[in-house]
Amino acid sequence: MKSPRSTSKPNDPEAARQYCLQLLSGQPRTRTELGNSMRRKGFEETVIAEILERYAEVGLIDDAVFARAWVDSRHRTRGLSKRSLAGELRRKGVDPELVDEAVAAVSDDDEREAALALARRRYRSLAGQSDEAVLRKLVGMLARKGYGSGVAIPVVKQVLAEAESEAAELLDEDAHFE
């Protein structure tokens, strides 16, 4: 017995085209994501390959454009590091060369500014907590966003210094939180 998600027309190109368009109408997707969804739906591999190739030819699927837009959006709105963005794109099946190109659009200065904005915003919500707790939470938050200690520690020191917190002196430049 087929699962309820399976198609009754596994080798029907028109049904596959419609399903693929339906997926694309909801949000942009990578070629890999579309192929995986179509496989789960039960379409045959030859039909999937034909549809994906055609949609790539006409520009409906473009992993390079997807990767650039993903990096821009996720870096700007969520403040993710280049490392985190690259990981997300790899998990979505984007070719490693395209991942590198897209992530290269984020400069080291852009990355540091995003980390600084995140740390400043988070610092405001930590009022009244011990210096050690504030320090731990800021560095931990940046680490979860993918920032290594080379970015996180100087950024947290700057935020603490701006706030005239004594916790800035607790932070050792050689500490590692990766």
Side-chain angles (χ1 to χ4, degrees):
M1 185 174 154
K2 289 185 175 185
S3 75
R5 295 190 58 184
S6 292
T7 182
S8 59
K9 303 173 184 179
N11 56 354
D12 179 1
E14 186 53 35
R17 272 193 275 294
Q18 291 303 317
Y19 182 67
C20 192
L21 286 173
Q22 177 186 353
L23 291 171
L24 286 168
S25 70
Q27 68 186 42
R29 298 175 194 265
T30 66
R31 185 180 184 120
T32 299
E33 289 177 310
L34 291 167
N36 290 343
S37 292
M38 293 172 76
R39 281 181 201 90
R40 281 192 303 275
K41 187 73 169 170
F43 291 106
E44 290 182 358
E45 201 60 43
T46 55
V47 172
I48 294 169
E50 175 187 314
I51 301 302
L52 294 179
E53 188 60 37
R54 179 67 183 136
Y55 282 2
E57 285 173 12
V58 299
L60 287 174
I61 303 170
D62 187 335
D63 282 0
V65 170
F66 176 90
R68 286 191 303 270
W70 184 267
V71 164
D72 179 59
S73 171
R74 303 282 284 178
H75 179 69
R76 190 174 18 80
T77 61
R78 305 244 348 251
L80 297 180
S81 70
K82 292 188 274 190
R83 184 172 57 184
S84 288
L85 294 166
E88 287 183 349
L89 289 171
R90 281 192 296 274
R91 284 188 295 279
K92 291 185 163 296
V94 176
D95 181 87
E97 286 183 30
L98 297 176
V99 170
D100 292 344
E101 289 172 19
V103 171
V106 178
S107 73
D108 291 345
D109 288 341
D110 292 339
E111 191 172 47
R112 188 179 190 297
E113 285 302 314
L116 193 54
L118 286 168
R120 284 174 175 150
R121 191 167 50 241
R122 179 77 170 114
Y123 180 80
R124 289 192 296 268
S125 69
L126 299 174
Q129 297 187 27
S130 73
D131 288 345
E132 292 84 4
V134 169
L135 179 67
R136 188 179 64 250
K137 288 177 182 183
L138 289 176
V139 172
M141 179 268 305
L142 290 173
R144 285 187 299 280
K145 296 284 188 176
Y147 293 98
S149 59
V151 173
I153 291 171
V155 161
V156 170
K157 277 189 84 112
Q158 180 178 341
V159 169
L160 295 174
E162 289 170 357
E164 298 178 358
S165 169
E166 293 177 16
E169 288 138 29
L170 298 172
L171 200 51
D172 178 6
E173 287 289 344
D174 297 326
H176 294 285
F177 296 93
E178 294 183 55

